[in-house]
Amino acid sequence: MSEPKTTVRELIREKYATLTASEKKLANALLENYPAAGIASITVVAQNADVSTPTVARMVGKLGFKGFPQFHQSLLSELQAKVQGPTQRRANWATEAPESHLLNRFSQAITRNLSQTLSNVDHDKFDKAAGCLADTNGRLYIVGGRITRALAEYAFTHFQAIRERVTHMTSSSATWPHYVLDMVKGDTLLMFDIRRYETNLLRLAELAKERGVTVIVVTDQWASPIASIADYTFNCWVEIPSAWDSNVSTMMLLETLIAAVQEENWPRAKDRYERLDEIFEAARLFRKP
Amino acid sequence: MSEPKTTVRELIREKYATLTASEKKLANALLENYPAAGIASITVVAQNADVSTPTVARMVGKLGFKGFPQFHQSLLSELQAKVQGPTQRRANWATEAPESHLLNRFSQAITRNLSQTLSNVDHDKFDKAAGCLADTNGRLYIVGGRITRALAEYAFTHFQAIRERVTHMTSSSATWPHYVLDMVKGDTLLMFDIRRYETNLLRLAELAKERGVTVIVVTDQWASPIASIADYTFNCWVEIPSAWDSNVSTMMLLETLIAAVQEENWPRAKDRYERLDEIFEAARLFRKP
DNA sequence: TGTCGTTTGTAAAAATCTTTCCACACACTT
DNA sequence: AAGTGTGTGGAAAGATTTTTACAAACGACA
């Protein structure tokens, strides 16, 4: 089909900036459950998005439709086109972009990586590792390599929010001895080491291990040498059509670990979150409005 | 759903014998163009089948529906089920862990987020934004918020590897004026702003915009206020069963952007990668084995 | 050919959905 | 602290859709 073919979805995105607060709410509800959320009477659509009928009518107007029925009809045709369309669009992933577009090639690779990563996690070890990360009797050290420094930082930001006694070992290895000096049995060291494995990190792991520290390493599918001495190893699939490696799956694993720790420490973590929010709020008030 | 799972089509076939002449005419029209012919107002359906409205109403009653709206709804659900059909179900990449295990709950949420994010990227805008990020005539500034600082850093590490003239604006907003001072038209500002949106970032965006800088913002599904002044906005779905937001989809989008820029700048980017590797290799040799 | 039962469509009534109007609420300015 | 403007939802008015009522048309059978 060579039509200009603007879908309602595109229309919403296009005008999104010009929408008001509750219109955005509606837009999100629509996009979230598209197009189902839009195919109903205006009253129902409004209710499901938790806005008033006029808001729906107004937004539909803004999108360029003459009235709700027209909008409704438009969604309906889209739905129908989809059904009759040439061999159902591939999965959910396909955006409206052509098959060969980078977005699609990428999403495919990433999907594969996530799937591989997940099916290679031993959930028993996962739980145990989460237990170590949650244990506040010991100190938690976090360290990453050149590229994974960002992940280490992300981990630090979150772990700091949900538990005490967390240390981010900066990536400058010159400072590491200071930290190692204080490591004792019962502490945990969370390491990120993705290929182009770094010798420094291996040395660090060895030193930590000598002191009875529990070592958890998040690495790639080929496994960093650290894996052979670590207590817990997690392999993340990282290949993408590119010169470098993807860290999406690593990020997912990390977030899941954080969530697990949060759950384990719940009442305390919650308390910390709330206090943290309060402090940020207070800090914000220092600034002039 | 309490439906006995019969499609309207089957229902029609089943009762076909008991239908009167003009009802059969209607039934045929319906089956001929199913389900489209049924999805419209009763008047239109009647007209298309060349029968009267009451005939439609009567037949719908015979099929066991309480009224035309119910019949209409039923067809709609069928249509929708067809669209989402096999797609949704297959996304079950469970590990061996039980359904309810955090790993699985998480993977499901994240899958959803990725899918939503992808289907809401406008690939045209994506390409254009990538173009800006690749343009080395202007300088590229990168900045993140409290949580997204890690992403900004990740972005910086990679962009620095594939192009010149990249600046990471540290998250301490006190230093921002220095950077803003040097911003000129043609520069690009890549911002990350996930909810708990930060006023600082908005101000920064405004200042940058005043200077003619192209602003690209990566935000969440609810859209940071920056979105309304930014040149390019990308919405990432971030909700997970947790007290905080996931950045997996954000990471994916970021990586895809990086890959796009890399592709655009290919020969040069490749060269930089190689030289960078050499330098790292050389640095490694300084250390004793 | 007339009567009866059934089927069918017209048209009016009822129900529902959509739009419009207006007042209130909130934020931002003076 | 009052004023202005925008955004929002309640509720009535307007439009459309659905249902119902009823009478004309048709065909079967006596």
Side-chain angles (χ1 to χ4, degrees):
Chain A
M1 318 306 163
S2 54
E3 305 166 39
K5 184 84 162 275
T6 20
T7 67
V8 172
R9 177 181 257 142
E10 285 170 40
L11 225 48
I12 292 178
R13 276 204 298 262
E14 193 179 311
K15 306 269 184 186
Y16 194 86
T18 74
L19 300 182
T20 68
S22 60
E23 281 168 355
K24 276 182 187 160
K25 197 158 134 197
L26 168 61
N28 287 326
L30 236 44
L31 292 180
E32 197 123 340
N33 183 11
Y34 184 89
I39 301 182
S41 79
I42 193 171
T43 339
V44 175
V45 171
Q47 267 172 16
N48 287 343
D50 196 28
V51 297
S52 67
T53 339
T55 300
V56 179
R58 276 188 293 256
M59 189 180 99
V60 163
K62 272 193 191 171
L63 293 183
F65 294 96
K66 205 168 164 216
F68 185 83
Q70 208 166 89
F71 165 82
H72 191 261
Q73 194 51 47
S74 191
L75 278 177
L76 234 42
S77 334
E78 267 179 46
L79 190 64
Q80 238 179 269
K82 237 188 207 167
V83 170
Q84 308 183 333
T87 24
Q88 253 188 62
R89 278 265 169 77
R90 86 123 49 56
N92 250 343
W93 302 108
T95 55
E96 284 140 21
E99 183 91 11
S100 60
H101 191 279
L102 183 71
L103 271 166
N104 278 324
R105 273 156 43 216
F106 234 69
S107 74
Q108 234 157 325
I110 285 179
T111 306
R112 215 183 85 85
N113 284 340
L114 289 175
S115 160
Q116 283 289 343
T117 303
L118 274 164
S119 53
N120 276 286
V121 176
D122 180 328
H123 67 275
D124 195 45
K125 283 194 181 157
F126 175 89
D127 292 339
K128 287 198 182 116
C132 294
L133 292 170
D135 180 12
T136 48
N137 290 321
R139 188 160 262 289
L140 171 59
Y141 294 90
I142 303 176
V143 69
R146 180 162 73 89
I147 302 286
T148 47
R149 183 184 53 220
L151 285 170
E153 197 171 308
Y154 189 77
F156 175 65
T157 309
H158 277 92
F159 277 124
Q160 200 185 19
I162 53 182
R163 57 162 284 176
E164 315 92 47
R165 313 189 69 208
V166 188
T167 306
H168 180 201
M169 297 172 69
T170 61
S171 61
S172 154
S173 56
T175 66
W176 291 352
H178 298 92
Y179 296 114
V180 174
L181 190 62
D182 291 334
M183 287 183 182
V184 294
K185 192 169 155 68
D187 288 350
T188 304
L189 173 58
L190 174 61
M191 313 182 77
F192 295 89
D193 195 24
I194 303 290
R195 76 170 163 189
R196 262 29 205 12
Y197 311 118
E198 298 177 33
T199 327
N200 284 337
L201 284 170
L202 178 58
R203 292 268 182 292
L204 174 61
E206 283 165 354
L207 289 172
K209 207 76 197 71
E210 275 171 23
R211 278 158 186 76
V213 172
T214 305
V215 174
I216 301 175
V217 62
V218 177
T219 180
D220 53 39
Q221 67 246 57
W222 304 282
S224 142
I226 298 176
S228 58
I229 59 166
D231 297 273
Y232 301 103
T233 305
F234 295 103
N235 299 95
C236 298
W237 263 245
V238 299
E239 270 195 319
I240 43 172
S242 154
W244 37 278
D245 290 322
S246 163
N247 276 301
V248 173
S249 58
T250 326
M251 182 69 121
M252 175 197 64
L253 186 80
L254 171 57
E255 283 191 352
T256 317
L257 275 171
I258 295 169
V261 172
Q262 179 196 270
E263 225 163 66
E264 196 146 332
N265 280 357
W266 184 237
R268 266 182 22 244
K270 188 191 176 193
D271 184 50
R272 281 178 75 87
Y273 266 121
E274 281 166 3
R275 273 166 34 215
L276 194 63
D277 259 0
E278 273 167 31
I279 296 171
F280 269 107
E281 205 50 49
R284 185 178 307 208
L285 294 181
F286 291 158
R287 314 228 161 83
K288 62 179 182 192
Chain B
M1 290 219 206
S2 55
E3 296 236 348
K5 189 79 177 220
T6 37
T7 68
V8 173
R9 179 179 257 140
E10 287 169 38
L11 224 47
I12 293 177
R13 295 225 178 91
E14 194 179 314
K15 306 269 185 185
Y16 194 83
T18 75
L19 300 181
T20 67
S22 61
E23 281 169 356
K24 278 180 185 162
K25 195 159 134 195
L26 169 61
N28 288 332
L30 234 45
L31 292 179
E32 197 129 332
N33 182 12
Y34 183 89
I39 300 182
S41 79
I42 194 173
T43 340
V44 176
V45 172
Q47 270 173 16
N48 288 343
D50 196 28
V51 296
S52 68
T53 343
T55 301
V56 179
R58 277 189 291 259
M59 187 180 97
V60 162
K62 274 195 191 170
L63 293 182
F65 295 97
K66 207 172 161 208
F68 184 82
Q70 208 166 87
F71 165 82
H72 190 260
Q73 193 53 48
S74 194
L75 279 177
L76 234 43
S77 324
E78 271 179 45
L79 191 62
Q80 228 181 280
K82 233 189 214 168
V83 170
Q84 324 186 309
T87 306
Q88 293 289 49
R89 217 148 289 166
R90 191 173 46 77
N92 207 4
W93 29 24
T95 55
E96 287 145 22
E99 186 85 16
S100 60
H101 191 281
L102 184 73
L103 271 166
N104 277 324
R105 273 156 44 215
F106 234 70
S107 73
Q108 227 151 336
I110 285 178
T111 305
R112 217 182 92 83
N113 283 339
L114 289 175
S115 160
Q116 283 287 344
T117 304
L118 275 165
S119 54
N120 278 288
V121 175
D122 182 326
H123 66 275
D124 195 43
K125 285 196 180 152
F126 176 89
D127 291 340
K128 287 197 183 116
C132 293
L133 292 171
D135 180 12
T136 47
N137 291 322
R139 189 161 261 287
L140 170 60
Y141 294 90
I142 302 176
V143 68
R146 179 162 73 90
I147 302 286
T148 47
R149 183 186 54 218
L151 285 169
E153 196 171 309
Y154 189 77
F156 174 65
T157 309
H158 277 92
F159 278 123
Q160 200 186 20
I162 54 183
R163 57 163 282 176
E164 314 91 50
R165 313 188 70 205
V166 188
T167 306
H168 181 202
M169 296 172 69
T170 61
S171 61
S172 155
S173 57
T175 66
W176 291 352
H178 298 92
Y179 296 115
V180 174
L181 190 61
D182 291 332
M183 287 183 182
V184 295
K185 192 168 156 65
D187 288 351
T188 303
L189 174 58
L190 174 61
M191 311 182 77
F192 295 88
D193 195 23
I194 303 290
R195 75 170 162 192
R196 252 60 209 344
Y197 310 118
E198 298 177 32
T199 327
N200 283 336
L201 284 172
L202 178 57
R203 290 271 181 291
L204 175 61
E206 284 164 356
L207 288 172
K209 207 80 199 65
E210 275 171 22
R211 279 158 186 78
V213 172
T214 306
V215 175
I216 301 175
V217 62
V218 177
T219 180
D220 53 39
Q221 67 246 58
W222 304 281
S224 143
I226 297 177
S228 56
I229 60 169
D231 297 273
Y232 301 103
T233 304
F234 295 102
N235 299 93
C236 298
W237 262 245
V238 299
E239 269 193 323
I240 42 171
S242 155
W244 37 277
D245 290 323
S246 164
N247 277 302
V248 173
S249 59
T250 326
M251 181 69 122
M252 175 197 64
L253 187 81
L254 171 58
E255 285 191 349
T256 316
L257 275 171
I258 295 170
V261 171
Q262 179 198 270
E263 225 164 62
E264 197 148 330
N265 280 355
W266 185 235
R268 263 172 36 237
K270 187 189 174 193
D271 184 50
R272 281 178 75 85
Y273 266 121
E274 281 167 3
R275 272 164 37 215
L276 194 62
D277 260 1
E278 273 167 31
I279 296 169
F280 270 107
E281 205 50 48
R284 188 177 305 208
L285 295 180
F286 292 157
R287 311 226 163 83
K288 63 179 179 191

